[in-house]
Amino acid sequence: MTAPPRLTVATADGTATVTIDNPARRNAMTPAMWESLPALLAPLAADPAVRVLVLTGAGDTFCAGADISALTDEDGLRATRTAAVAAEEALAAFPKPTLAAVRGHCVGGGCQLAVACDLRFAAHGAAFGVTPAKLGIVYPAASTRRLVRLAGPATAKHLLFSAELIDHERALRVGLVDEVCPADGLDERVRGYAAVLASRSLLTQYAAKEFAGDMPGDSRSAYWAAQAAASTDALEGATAFLTRRPPSFTWTPPLPS
C-alpha cells in the first residue's frame, strides 16, 4: 500500500534528516505537507541532540514544487501560498545549520525551500527552476529577496521571468548551489559535512547565522557578546588546539524565558 504524501524525519549522529516523500507526484508539496513543516521543525530546533538539519527528497527527485491540483481555485491558491510562505520562513528561521541535499528536479516550491536552507549540495544532473511565471502566480516578496541575495538580481530575474530550468553547472556558477557531487556520492558528502558541523561550536554557528541574515541591531550584538563572555567554548577551543585533541564545546542556547 502506497504511503500518503508526507514529510518524514530521521535522526542520527546529531543530524535530523527531513525527507519530502511524495514520489508518485515527484515529491510535490501538498497543502498538508506545507502546513506540517513549521510544527515538525519546532521540536528539532529545541532538541539539543540535533545539531544539523538536512532537507532532501525521496528517490531521485528533490521536489517538483507545489501540488498543482491544490491551485485550481482562489481558496486553494490563497491557502497554499500562505502555508508555503510560513513553511519557508520557518525553515529560514531554524537556528541551527541547514543543508539541502538535491537530486533531480528542484523546482518551484522545492527551490523555494532549498533557497531557505543555509547551504545547498547538488548531485550531477540536478536541475533548478522558479516557475510561477508558468502559472501566473506572483512570487512572494520575501522569497524573491532571498533568491536575489543568494544568486544575484540577474539570475533571479532570469529564473522568475522565464521559468526555465538551469542545470547543476550553471547553478553552481551563479551561487544557487554551493557544491556539486557525483550522484552516488551525495549522501556520503552531506553526511560527512554534517558531521563536521556537529563537531563545531554551536555558539559560533548560532551567532554567525543571525549575523549573516538581516544585520542585527546593537542589542543583538550585545546579546551575543554576553553569551560569548559567559561561555567556555573559546577557552575549550584554544586548549584543544594546543593539546591537539578534538574540542568538546558545551554552549547551548538559553531556554526561552
Side-chain angles (χ1 to χ4, degrees):
M1 186 174 179
T2 303
R6 58 184 179 163
L7 300 175
T8 65
V9 181
T11 303
D13 302 322
T15 299
T17 300
V18 176
T19 301
I20 304 167
D21 190 358
N22 186 11
R25 299 186 68 86
R26 299 168 65 205
N27 293 334
M29 291 283 290
T30 65
M33 292 165 74
W34 287 117
E35 290 168 3
S36 70
L37 185 58
L40 180 152
L41 293 175
L44 298 177
D47 187 348
V50 172
R51 297 293 305 274
V52 184
L53 180 81
V54 174
L55 179 67
T56 193
D60 59 3
T61 298
F62 181 76
C63 177
D67 186 343
I68 303 301
S69 65
L71 308 179
T72 56
D73 60 68
E74 285 296 327
D75 289 342
L77 183 62
R78 188 179 305 108
T80 297
R81 177 188 173 95
T82 300
V85 169
E88 177 192 3
E89 293 303 322
L91 182 58
F94 194 80
K96 303 167 187 179
T98 55
L99 314 176
V102 179
R103 284 189 181 82
H105 281 69
C106 177
V107 179
C111 197
Q112 191 175 347
L113 290 174
V115 169
C117 292
D118 295 314
L119 298 167
R120 285 144 295 281
F121 291 74
H124 283 275
F128 298 81
V130 185
T131 53
K134 283 187 174 181
L135 301 170
I137 294 171
V138 174
Y139 203 53
S143 308
T144 301
R145 287 193 292 270
R146 193 168 283 122
L147 181 62
V148 168
R149 286 197 299 267
L150 180 64
T155 295
K157 289 174 183 177
H158 166 69
L159 292 168
L160 285 163
F161 290 175
S162 71
E164 290 184 350
L165 303 187
I166 61 174
D167 63 17
H168 68 265
E169 292 180 344
R170 183 170 182 179
L172 180 64
R173 187 168 66 250
V174 301
L176 191 59
V177 302
D178 301 284
E179 190 171 322
V180 174
C181 312
D184 60 359
L186 178 65
D187 290 340
E188 181 179 359
R189 172 57 179 148
V190 171
R191 277 196 303 270
Y193 187 73
V196 169
L197 298 187
S199 74
R200 305 307 194 208
S201 168
L202 197 61
L203 170 63
T204 301
Q205 293 167 348
Y206 264 60
K209 184 161 183 172
E210 184 171 326
F211 290 165
D214 296 331
M215 284 304 295
D218 291 342
S219 63
R220 294 304 295 171
S221 296
Y223 169 83
W224 285 114
Q227 287 294 311
S231 169
T232 61
D233 272 16
L235 179 60
E236 167 62 13
T239 302
F241 179 82
L242 292 172
T243 57
R244 300 184 179 181
R245 62 169 173 80
S248 179
F249 297 116
T250 57
W251 182 88
T252 56
L255 294 174
S257 57

